[in-house]
């Protein structure tokens, strides 16, 4: 176990970028894939800043696109470490878009990225332990514990499902599909 402790604030990072027409999807809104790419970049920067090591993305938990982002809006992403394991960190990311003419800010999405610190040989390496300095940081830490517990619970209940059985093939009909084997 690492004997070094760091505060959540030591991991704080933010980036802002003006959204350009080149980043749009076919409906004229900013492409979700582009936003995900930026989120991955800030997660890397946050985890690397906190751990002092190169970091890789291990998983991305639910990303709900709450509001569309328009061309010309200033997107700001804020990230910090919410949880640490031995070599992993859960990075919380908040995405906001600001209409730079009116100053109105909207929350567009939030997500958790699990990042793993790597040493120069590419092996997982220990990360600093976390100092929680306020109740909001405690809340975020507990939310990550719940997230981890839900993942573990889900893995415990994975069943070997026989999708080939007559019962399964008959049951699938209620899902707006037709099976033609």
């Amino acid at each position: 176990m690492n004997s070094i402790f760091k505060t959540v604030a030591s991991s704080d990072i933010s980036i802002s970028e003006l959204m350009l027409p080149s980043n749009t999807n076919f409906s004229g809104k900013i492409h979700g894939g582009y936003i995900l790419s930026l989120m991955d970049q800030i997660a890397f920067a946050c985890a690397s800043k906190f751990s002092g090591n190169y970091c890789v993305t291990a998983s991305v938990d639910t990303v709900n696109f709450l509001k569309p982002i328009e061309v010309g809006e200033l997107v700001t992403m804020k990230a910090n470490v919410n949880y640490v394991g031995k070599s992993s960190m859960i990075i919380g990311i908040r995405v906001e878009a600001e209409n730079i003419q009116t100053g109105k800010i909207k929350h567009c999405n939030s997500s958790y990225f699990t990042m793993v610190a790597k040493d120069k040989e590419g092996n997982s390496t220990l990360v600093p332990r976390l100092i929680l300095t306020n109740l909001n940081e405690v809340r975020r830490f507990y939310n990550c514990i719940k997230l981890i517990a839900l993942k573990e619970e889900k893995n415990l209940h994975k069943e070997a499902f026989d999708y080939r059985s007559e019962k399964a093939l008959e049951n699938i009909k209620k899902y707006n599909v037709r099976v033609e084997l």
Side-chain angles (χ1 to χ4, degrees), residues 143-160:
N143 284 343
C144 291
I145 290 172
K146 287 190 258 179
L147 183 67
I148 292 166
L150 285 172
K151 282 183 181 180
E152 289 172 355
E153 182 75 17
K154 182 179 174 185
N155 288 336
L156 283 176
H157 292 290
K158 282 188 178 175
E159 298 175 15

Side-chain angles (χ1 to χ4, degrees), residues 8-9 11-12 78-83 90-94 112 130 132 134-147:
V8 171
S11 73
D12 286 353
K78 301 171 186 174
N80 56 37
V81 173
N82 289 340
Y83 172 90
I90 298 179
I91 310 300
I93 303 171
R94 181 179 175 93
Y112 292 112
L130 200 55
L132 305 174
N134 61 55
L135 289 176
N136 199 34
E137 292 172 358
V138 171
R139 178 185 59 79
R140 289 178 180 159
F141 187 85
Y142 269 116
N143 284 343
C144 291
I145 290 172
K146 287 190 258 179
L147 183 67

Side-chain angles (χ1 to χ4, degrees), residues 16-147:
S16 294
E17 186 173 318
L18 187 64
M19 294 297 105
L20 303 173
S22 59
N23 304 125
T24 58
N25 58 25
F26 292 110
S27 69
K29 308 296 183 194
I30 300 304
H31 196 285
Y34 182 69
I35 298 301
L36 283 171
S37 173
L38 291 175
M39 291 173 77
D40 193 50
Q41 289 175 41
I42 195 170
F44 167 81
C46 179
S48 295
K49 177 183 178 184
F50 182 80
S51 70
N53 291 287
Y54 178 77
C55 295
V56 297
T57 306
S59 72
V60 178
D61 287 298
T62 305
V63 179
N64 293 317
F65 293 94
L66 305 173
K67 295 188 176 142
I69 299 171
E70 308 290 338
V71 170
E73 289 185 323
L74 182 65
V75 168
T76 299
M77 296 187 182
K78 301 171 186 174
N80 56 37
V81 173
N82 289 340
Y83 172 90
V84 295
K86 291 179 183 171
S87 63
S88 66
M89 297 153 281
I90 298 179
I91 310 300
I93 303 171
R94 181 179 175 93
V95 180
E96 298 174 336
E98 178 182 0
N99 180 314
I100 57 176
Q101 294 171 330
T102 66
K104 185 176 179 187
I105 297 172
K106 60 186 174 185
H107 176 209
C108 297
N109 65 40
S110 295
S111 185
Y112 292 112
F113 278 55
T114 301
M115 307 297 288
V116 177
K118 299 291 184 172
D119 63 18
K120 289 179 173 52
E121 290 77 45
N123 299 311
S124 296
T125 189
L126 294 176
V127 297
R129 294 159 83 180
L130 200 55
I131 300 171
L132 305 174
T133 61
N134 61 55
L135 289 176
N136 199 34
E137 292 172 358
V138 171
R139 178 185 59 79
R140 289 178 180 159
F141 187 85
Y142 269 116
N143 284 343
C144 291
I145 290 172
K146 287 190 258 179
L147 183 67

